């Protein structure tokens, strides 16, 4: 339930005992990512490194994964690499890089205060794209 896969798994003919993969049920990219998150939860690592956890997902899958990540990352040291700024919005510290160099650090609110900052510009561009998609 924490990884948002319980409803999906129980909908399969054999529930959690269903065969997944080439000889069984095919999973979407978002479903595979949620299964990976479930595996990480079961391992309960002290440090979690995630690379583009929400890349190439539809809005629904991204929302489910972000909901799961909110629970999974709590009280744990995590490094999250992301181009989608919505993935890191609630991070304790965001490190903004450009051309392999750190150009800014801070929380979302701190980085948004920098009127000319790269993070703010990227965030506003992302918002513009989202608003454009809603029309």
């Amino acid at each position: 339930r924490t990884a948002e896969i319980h409803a999906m798994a129980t909908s399969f003919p054999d529930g959690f005992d269903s065969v997944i993969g080439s000889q069984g049920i095919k999973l979407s990219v978002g479903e595979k990512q949620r299964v990976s998150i479930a595996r990480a939860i079961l391992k309960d690592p002290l440090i979690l490194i995630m690379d583009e956890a929400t890349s190439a997902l539809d809005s629904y899958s991204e929302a489910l994964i972000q909901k799961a990540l909110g629970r999974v990352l709590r009280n744990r040291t995590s490094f999250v690499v992301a181009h989608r700024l919505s993935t890191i919005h609630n991070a304790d510290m965001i490190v903004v890089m450009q051309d392999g160099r750190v150009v800014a650090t801070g929380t979302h609110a701190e980085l948004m205060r920098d009127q000319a900052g790269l993070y703010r510009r990227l965030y506003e561009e992302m918002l513009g794209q989202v608003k454009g998609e809603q029309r």
Side-chain angles (χ1 to χ4, degrees):
R1 286 184 176 96
T2 301
E4 298 293 328
I5 62 167
H6 187 266
M8 173 190 72
T10 56
S11 72
F12 297 152
D14 295 321
F16 281 96
D17 293 323
S18 297
V19 175
I20 303 296
S22 60
Q23 302 299 314
I25 296 170
K26 306 277 190 277
L27 299 179
S28 70
V29 173
E31 290 167 337
K32 288 177 187 175
Q33 285 177 297
R34 292 193 316 246
V35 169
S36 294
I37 290 169
R39 287 178 173 165
I41 293 167
L42 290 173
K43 200 77 164 144
D44 195 26
L46 294 175
I47 298 174
L48 187 60
I49 301 171
M50 303 187 81
D51 186 8
E52 298 293 352
T54 61
S55 65
L57 295 179
D58 59 79
S59 302
Y60 176 75
S61 295
E62 180 183 7
L64 287 175
I65 287 174
Q66 286 191 6
K67 187 175 175 185
L69 288 177
R71 292 188 291 260
V72 172
L73 300 179
R74 194 172 294 129
N75 300 321
R76 156 180 350 262
T77 299
S78 307
F79 296 91
V80 180
V81 177
H83 283 84
R84 285 190 179 180
L85 300 183
S86 55
T87 304
I88 59 169
H89 184 268
N90 293 319
D92 294 330
M93 179 189 287
I94 299 168
V95 177
V96 183
M97 297 184 72
Q98 183 176 33
D99 298 326
R101 296 157 91 182
V102 174
V103 295
T105 61
T107 64
H108 171 77
E110 291 166 346
L111 293 168
M112 288 301 287
R113 282 195 283 266
D114 182 359
Q115 299 289 326
L118 175 62
Y119 180 87
R120 181 181 176 126
R121 189 186 63 188
L122 293 171
Y123 192 81
E124 288 175 348
E125 285 176 11
M126 181 195 71
L127 283 180
Q129 289 175 356
V130 169
K131 288 178 184 175
E133 290 173 4
Q134 293 175 351
R135 288 181 192 154

